[in-house]
Amino acid sequence: MSTSLNTVIKRAAAYSAGSAALGIGYASIIERNAFTVREATMDVLDPGASPLRVLHISDIHMRPGQRLKQAWLRELAQWQPDLVINTGDNLAHPRAVSSVVQALGDLLSVPGLFVFGSNDYFGPRLKNPAKYLYKSDERKHGEPLPWQDLRAAFTERGWHDMTHTRHELEVAGVRIAAAGVDDPHLHRDRYDTIAGMPNPLATLRLGLTHSPEPRVLDRFAEDGYQLVMAGHTHGGQLCLPFYGAIVTNCELDRSRVKGPSQWGSHMQLHVSAGIGTSPFAPMRFFCRPEATLLTLVPARVGSQGADAESGDRSPSATVQ
């Protein structure tokens, strides 16, 4: 091999290594902490209803000492939502309950509904990243987390635990019939405990789940819910330009990995891209950590959503 060719190869290898290091640094230091609030409008309410501002938060994965995340969370109350929806995975450390409660701050004084995810019950574990690329029913749990303490803190402030229960409330003049399930990712969901049509007099019929597993979404749709809100996917967390999410970490297809989408002919879905990451995979790429401020408005007259068999995933929504 000539000296000049050897030099070119060494320079190319050094350039590739440097680019990889820069990419990892950006994903783990900059984008992982580039918190944002995404706004979207979804027309899911019954005709004549008043608009409803809903803040959707999910997958905080809090650890003590995460000051940037905690400071950003404290600012969310400034968006003045009418309702807060928390779809789980709040914890990533046994001593993080107080950090979550203090960071949510004034949001806990706003009407709220929540369900828990796997990382409220069990701590994160180091995993082989390749396992995200193929399906497996094998589950190895991390250390138990103090979810009971977190539940007590939320409910004492007035938030409602929607785990396997139905609840009705009125917020900003909108009558809501809500129901939720425990985390399908851990196969803890027992939809039969909440099965049946929600109150048809409710202006919004709302379902909650941590992991947006199709088997659960189908049940909500069959029962006549207008909107289901979920988390878990982290929006893919590591995404590629012009391709999007590589995996969803559940049975949901990649096209619905975050944001609004249509599920069947009469139900819409909103999946949060989440706020945190596992401490064993502290990176985000082309997928900023986010909360979503949804403005729910009445459905357009004659709008029936997308056809379930057409493959159309576009809901009646606008995103900013």
Side-chain angles (χ1 to χ4, degrees), residues 11-69:
R11 287 178 177 175
Y15 176 80
S16 298
S19 298
L22 286 173
I24 292 172
Y26 168 80
S28 59
I29 298 174
I30 298 176
E31 185 161 335
R32 179 172 66 92
N33 294 304
F35 303 105
T36 188
V37 176
R38 182 171 53 84
E39 296 184 72
T41 300
M42 300 182 71
D43 52 353
V44 298
L45 301 181
D46 283 349
S50 301
L52 184 70
R53 291 164 58 87
V54 179
L55 182 69
H56 186 185
I57 58 176
S58 194
D59 298 271
I60 296 173
H61 293 285
M62 184 70 78
R63 288 177 290 137
Q66 292 186 312
R67 295 184 180 87
L68 283 175
K69 183 191 294 184

Side-chain angles (χ1 to χ4, degrees), residues 55-60 84-90 100 104 108 112-117 120 150 154 159-160 208-210 229:
L55 182 69
H56 186 185
I57 58 176
S58 194
D59 298 271
I60 296 173
V84 179
I85 300 296
N86 182 329
T87 47
D89 272 11
N90 297 275
V100 171
L104 291 178
L108 291 171
L113 306 174
F114 68 93
V115 291
F116 282 150
D120 292 304
L150 185 63
F154 284 173
W159 281 13
H160 291 276
L208 274 64
T209 177
H210 174 64
M229 301 177 72

